Amino acid sequence: MKIIDIKNLSFTYPGNSFPTLENVNLEMFSGENYCIVGPNGGGKSTLLHLILGLLNPGSGSIELFGGKPEKTVDQVGFMAQYFKLDSLFPITVLDVVLEGRLKGVFPLHFSRKDREIALEALAELGMEKLAHESFSALSGGQRQRVLLA
C-alpha cells in the first residue's frame, strides 16, 4: 500500500528568493523503511512539515494514506528534534501525551479511553510513574520518551 505519494512538489519560504524544495517526486510504501538524508538546510525538515500538513506546498501535490495530509495526519507519529516549552508553563507529563489524542476539537476534552491510551503509552516507555509530574522538570531524555508516548 502506498503511504506517501508526492508529485512535482515545490516550496519556497516567504521572503526567500530561492526554493527550499523543487520538483520533488517521492513514493513510500507500507512495510518499507526509509531515511531522508541531506545537508543542513537541505529541506529535510521542510519536507516532513509538508507531509504532515504543517506547511502548504507552493506547487505539486502530497497524498498521505491516499488523502490530503490535514485529513490523514492522525495516522502518523512525529517527534521533532527539539521541543520548546516555557519552563513556567504548567503542563504535566500526561497532558503532553494527551495532546497526541487531539482531533481538532475545541474546547479540549479527553475521554476516559484517551486517558487510558495515554497512560498505556507512558507505561510502555517506563514513564507512567511520572504522569502527574511537571513536564518541564524532566531531563532531556525523559522529555524525548514522553514525546514518543
Side-chain angles (χ1 to χ4, degrees):
M1 177 175 109
K2 194 181 296 187
I3 56 174
I4 296 174
D5 189 11
I6 298 174
K7 293 183 178 143
N8 302 314
L9 176 71
S10 293
F11 179 82
T12 303
Y13 281 100
N16 284 3
S17 58
F18 57 90
T20 303
L21 298 170
E22 192 169 27
N23 294 321
V24 174
N25 292 285
L26 175 67
E27 293 180 333
M28 293 185 174
F29 297 88
S30 65
E32 299 290 326
N33 294 312
Y34 298 90
C35 181
I36 299 171
V37 179
N40 291 352
K44 301 178 300 291
S45 294
T46 299
L47 178 61
L48 289 174
H49 289 148
L50 286 158
I51 291 170
L52 294 171
L54 300 173
L55 294 172
N56 294 315
S59 63
S61 65
I62 302 172
E63 285 190 0
L64 181 63
F65 297 104
K68 293 186 179 278
E70 56 271 16
K71 302 281 188 196
T72 55
V73 72
D74 63 338
Q75 299 177 53
V76 176
F78 173 74
M79 182 173 61
Q81 183 174 3
Y82 298 105
F83 181 78
K84 296 176 187 162
L85 180 69
D86 184 337
S87 63
L88 298 177
F89 188 70
I91 190 168
T92 68
V93 167
L94 181 59
D95 292 332
V96 170
V97 178
L98 282 168
E99 293 293 315
R101 304 290 302 163
L102 285 176
K103 301 252 188 266
V105 178
F106 289 93
L108 300 181
H109 174 72
F110 298 104
S111 68
R112 180 179 303 202
K113 183 71 174 170
D114 288 330
R115 292 181 188 285
E116 288 171 7
I117 290 170
L119 288 169
E120 287 173 15
L122 284 169
E124 282 184 48
L125 296 169
M127 301 296 289
E128 70 277 12
K129 291 180 181 173
L130 299 176
H132 300 289
E133 298 296 321
S134 170
F135 181 76
S136 63
L138 301 181
S139 72
Q142 289 173 319
R143 287 181 184 189
Q144 290 293 81
R145 287 167 56 194
V146 169
L147 293 171
L148 263 173

